[in-house]
Amino acid sequence: MVELENVTKSYQVRTGRVDALRDVRVNINQGEFVVLRGPSGSGKTTLLMTIAAMLQPTSGSIRIEQNDLYAMSTRDRARFRARNIGFVFQMFHLVPYLNIVENVILASQTAGRINPSAQAGELLTQLGLAERASHKPAELSAGEKQRTAIARALFNRPKIILADEPTGNLDGENATSVFRHLSEFHRSGGTVIVATHGAAAEKFADKVINMREGSIESSA
Ligand SMILES: Nc1ncnc2c1ncn2[C@@H]1O[C@H](COP(=O)(O)OP(=O)(O)OP(=O)(O)O)[C@@H](O)[C@H]1O
Ligand SMILES: [Mg+2]
């Protein structure tokens, strides 16, 4: 479903060039739950961003269901991303001025939806946030913020959810809850790719990919 062929990504910096991804080849099947591991700086975030259609690689190709992400126009890529990909960040990235219902529908394709706010409210209820619907992010705990971000990622009914250290700012209990929700999406047929240092993830994973210095070291 997700196919990376000879993907490289280099960043130009003052002191020279950083090769963040070196000739990465990976295939991820539909419905797989993949955990991405590796030391800091090994390229996990860079890899996730390229798969998320948010960061163009320096060379190589990334296909999702045969669609070559960086051969499309910017507009088509944005549409493809909105329809197919949900993203969860370590730092939540909620908009502080909006309540959580508004945050969930903010990045959504609401055209043609009947009552998007009510649908967002339902999703938030499933994530245990019914009482918080009118709250702004600053009024939530870290775990609640991340569950809101998961609701936002789920709202467009994506095929894939990508998560970058989604439990990096959470305690054990909230981390488990995040993985439980990702796992529920996975059980309903979704594909999940999550970069994480936490051990909690492994019992949910079908596959673990280890990265080192921009390359895939092993995959089991
Ligand atoms: N915008 C950028 N400009 C220059 N170099 C960058 C940029 N983003 C990342 N890098 C470099 O690319 C390499 C891979 O970074 P990346 O953020 O993908 O690693 P990571 O595995 O996610 O690390 P961490 O576990 O700390 O989040 C690192 O050497 C990093 O310094
Ligand atoms: Mg990272």
Side-chain angles (χ1 to χ4, degrees), residues 37-51:
R37 287 199 177 288
S40 180
S42 58
K44 303 178 298 294
T45 296
T46 305
L47 186 68
L48 283 177
M49 289 294 169
T50 62
I51 297 172

Side-chain angles (χ1 to χ4, degrees), residues 1 30-31 64-65 67 80 83-86 156-161 185 189-192:
M1 179 194 203
Q30 177 162 4
I64 297 182
E65 289 187 324
N67 299 282
F80 184 87
R83 288 192 179 150
N84 296 288
I85 300 167
N156 287 334
R157 304 190 191 98
K159 293 186 178 138
I160 308 176
I161 288 189
F185 170 73
T191 306
V192 179

Side-chain angles (χ1 to χ4, degrees), residues 134-150:
S134 64
H135 289 225
K136 304 259 170 75
E139 300 157 2
L140 302 180
S141 71
E144 289 168 340
K145 281 182 200 153
Q146 199 58 304
R147 295 208 302 280
T148 302
I150 291 175

Side-chain angles (χ1 to χ4, degrees), residues 115-128:
N115 205 344
S117 304
Q119 291 182 5
E122 256 170 56
L123 200 47
L124 287 164
T125 300
Q126 286 166 27
L127 287 150

Side-chain angles (χ1 to χ4, degrees), residues 11-13 18-20 38-47 90 164-165 197:
Y11 296 106
Q12 209 60 48
V13 291
V18 177
D19 296 319
S40 180
S42 58
K44 303 178 298 294
T45 296
T46 305
L47 186 68
Q90 176 173 355
D164 192 8
E165 304 279 0
H197 291 289

